[in-house]
Amino acid sequence: MNLTSQIISLDYDGLEETGLVSDRVRNIVEPTLWFIMLILNVMGVVTNTINIRVFIEQGVKNDSTNIGFVCLSISDLLSCASLVPFSLCCVVQYTDGLVKYITCTAFAIPFSYGHVALQNMSTWITVYISLIRSLCVVFPLKVKSLFTPKTTVVVITSVVVFFLILIFQYSAFTSLVWVFEPMLNATVAYIVDSPTSKITLYYQQLITNQLSPSLAVLIVSINSVLMTRKLIQVKQWRSKNASSSSSTDPKVDVTSNPSKKQMASKDIELIRFINTTAVIFLVCNLIGFIPSIAIMVFPDVSFNGINKNLFYIVFFVRFLFDSINASINFFFYIRISSRYKEAFSTSFQACSRRHVIYD
């Protein structure tokens, strides 16, 4: 790999003339996005820690769905944590100047490799959970035999290994180099692409930002539609049977029957939960198409290409929606799922009692 300072030097004027996004625009957009992401990612670390505790409280030994949710929360937690270094680099820019910011960014970039892998892991764990849910509704008697805890562990482990290998193939062909920049009168660090890494990046983006999310979005969409239709049919069937029971036996008052009301409310709760989580998942994953489209449509969209500013901004936008997707699940769980709310209360009440005893 033949690297020269000319390839990776700070050619601000050239970027202003030939790049699709100027340095000025990037300097405005980048700190704003990373400040928002810092808040979201710190929140995501906290909320996913809570999620892990609550799902373990619900039980994971014989529950494939809860195993999936624990793994999803771990992946989301690490995904949020992997973006914190970039946000801190923006703080460095304002406290220690451009030189340290450029170097800080170079050291933070490897964390973004991990983030891309973790985000794809979260996507496919979500797909797996979606499959379990849909089959629970459509074929309730066969789910436990199809999705055993052992099967769940094997599937999720396979997903993790696949995306780690995929991301490593690209990162293995990039390198950290130190270059003296006359314009800054300082030596700064850069991540530099090799010709091989640019080819690898193209195919990696094709898989991680196009094929993978496309297939995931398709599966989750179909599952959500099937589950919603089936639940509506079940709800209508129960309502019809309840009406028949009340008409044949005038003493039966369906409207005042607590069990019937609870059954109906759980159906509505489940439909709302499925549709809400599906919409969040679909929107955030569709945003993931932006970086790969930019890389494939525009010339030299890479770490040190002519359109490197565009490269950074489209990835920052994608990371912003990744942060949203990974950090807000807790608020929907606690608001929509009564089972989650009950486990949350039980878990943290027990924690409070232990603190009181120790004090």
Side-chain angles (χ1 to χ4, degrees):
M1 183 168 59
N2 183 21
L3 302 177
T4 65
S5 61
Q6 184 178 2
I7 294 176
I8 53 180
S9 65
L10 291 174
D11 187 4
Y12 293 112
D13 295 333
L15 285 171
E16 287 284 354
E17 293 173 2
T18 60
L20 294 172
V21 177
S22 68
D23 291 319
R24 189 176 297 108
V25 170
R26 179 183 166 187
N27 288 338
I28 295 171
V29 173
E30 184 175 341
T32 304
L33 292 177
W34 282 113
F35 176 75
I36 297 171
M37 277 188 274
L38 179 61
I39 297 171
L40 286 171
N41 289 320
V42 171
M43 182 179 72
V45 170
V46 175
T47 56
N48 282 294
T49 301
I50 295 171
N51 288 341
I52 294 167
R53 182 181 179 85
V54 171
F55 289 126
I56 291 175
E57 177 71 26
Q58 289 180 348
V60 295
K61 187 175 181 180
N62 298 310
D63 193 328
S64 295
T65 304
N66 275 0
I67 292 173
F69 274 121
V70 170
C71 293
L72 176 62
S73 299
I74 293 171
S75 180
D76 283 343
L77 187 155
L78 295 174
S79 178
C80 289
S82 66
L83 291 178
V84 170
F86 258 121
S87 296
L88 295 179
C89 286
C90 287
V91 175
V92 169
Q93 181 179 8
Y94 288 102
T95 57
D96 295 322
L98 183 61
V99 173
K100 289 189 177 180
Y101 167 72
I102 294 171
T103 300
C104 180
T105 301
F107 281 98
I109 283 172
F111 289 96
S112 70
Y113 300 152
H115 172 78
V116 173
L118 288 162
Q119 192 272 334
N120 277 273
M121 292 173 201
S122 295
T123 295
W124 283 97
I125 294 171
T126 303
V127 170
Y128 184 75
I129 294 171
S130 176
L131 283 171
I132 296 176
R133 284 176 172 175
S134 63
L135 290 176
C136 278
V137 174
V138 180
F139 304 110
L141 300 178
K142 297 182 179 180
V143 171
K144 288 190 176 180
S145 61
L146 290 172
F147 296 99
T148 63
K150 184 177 179 180
T151 302
T152 299
V153 171
V154 169
V155 170
I156 292 176
T157 302
S158 301
V159 168
V160 170
V161 171
F162 173 78
F163 284 108
L164 283 177
I165 292 173
L166 189 67
I167 299 303
F168 177 77
Q169 285 180 337
Y170 169 62
S171 60
F173 294 108
T174 61
S175 59
L176 180 73
V177 298
W178 292 87
V179 177
F180 179 76
E181 289 292 351
M183 294 180 66
L184 299 173
N185 194 29
T187 300
V188 294
Y190 290 100
I191 292 290
V192 178
D193 290 314
S194 68
T196 305
S197 71
K198 291 181 179 180
I199 296 170
T200 308
L201 176 64
Y202 181 91
Y203 289 104
Q204 182 225 27
Q205 291 300 310
L206 181 65
I207 295 172
T208 60
N209 282 343
Q210 288 191 341
L211 297 179
S212 172
S214 296
L215 185 57
V217 164
L218 179 63
I219 294 172
V220 170
S221 299
I222 292 172
N223 284 340
S224 299
V225 171
L226 288 176
M227 282 189 287
T228 302
R229 289 184 62 183
K230 186 66 176 179
L231 287 168
I232 290 172
Q233 288 174 1
V234 171
K235 185 174 180 293
Q236 289 172 344
W237 178 80
R238 286 172 179 166
S239 300
K240 185 178 178 181
N241 284 353
S243 300
S244 300
S245 300
S246 61
S247 60
T248 55
D249 187 358
K251 295 180 181 180
V252 177
D253 185 3
V254 178
T255 58
S256 61
N257 190 328
S259 63
K260 299 291 184 183
K261 284 184 176 181
Q262 185 180 20
M263 192 178 293
S265 65
K266 282 187 176 180
D267 289 338
I268 295 170
E269 175 187 293
L270 188 53
I271 292 170
R272 287 174 58 203
F273 183 81
I274 291 167
N275 289 334
T276 303
T277 53
V279 167
I280 296 169
F281 175 83
L282 295 175
V283 170
C284 293
N285 273 272
L286 288 172
I287 297 296
F289 287 101
I290 294 175
S292 58
I293 291 171
I295 288 170
M296 293 177 180
V297 171
F298 301 108
D300 263 341
V301 179
S302 63
F303 285 123
N304 54 297
I306 294 173
N307 282 307
K308 73 174 185 178
N309 287 346
L310 177 63
F311 175 87
Y312 280 101
I313 286 180
V314 294
F315 268 98
F316 294 161
V317 171
R318 178 250 173 94
F319 289 164
L320 174 64
F321 280 86
D322 288 349
S323 301
I324 293 171
N325 191 29
S327 62
I328 64 174
N329 284 334
F330 164 79
F331 300 102
F332 291 100
Y333 294 158
I334 198 73
R335 182 175 178 82
I336 299 174
S337 174
S338 58
R339 187 185 174 206
Y340 181 94
K341 193 182 299 183
E342 182 182 349
F344 174 81
S345 300
T346 302
S347 178
F348 285 91
Q349 282 174 3
C351 183
S352 299
R353 285 196 295 269
R354 284 198 296 271
H355 281 301
V356 170
I357 292 171
Y358 292 140
D359 290 342

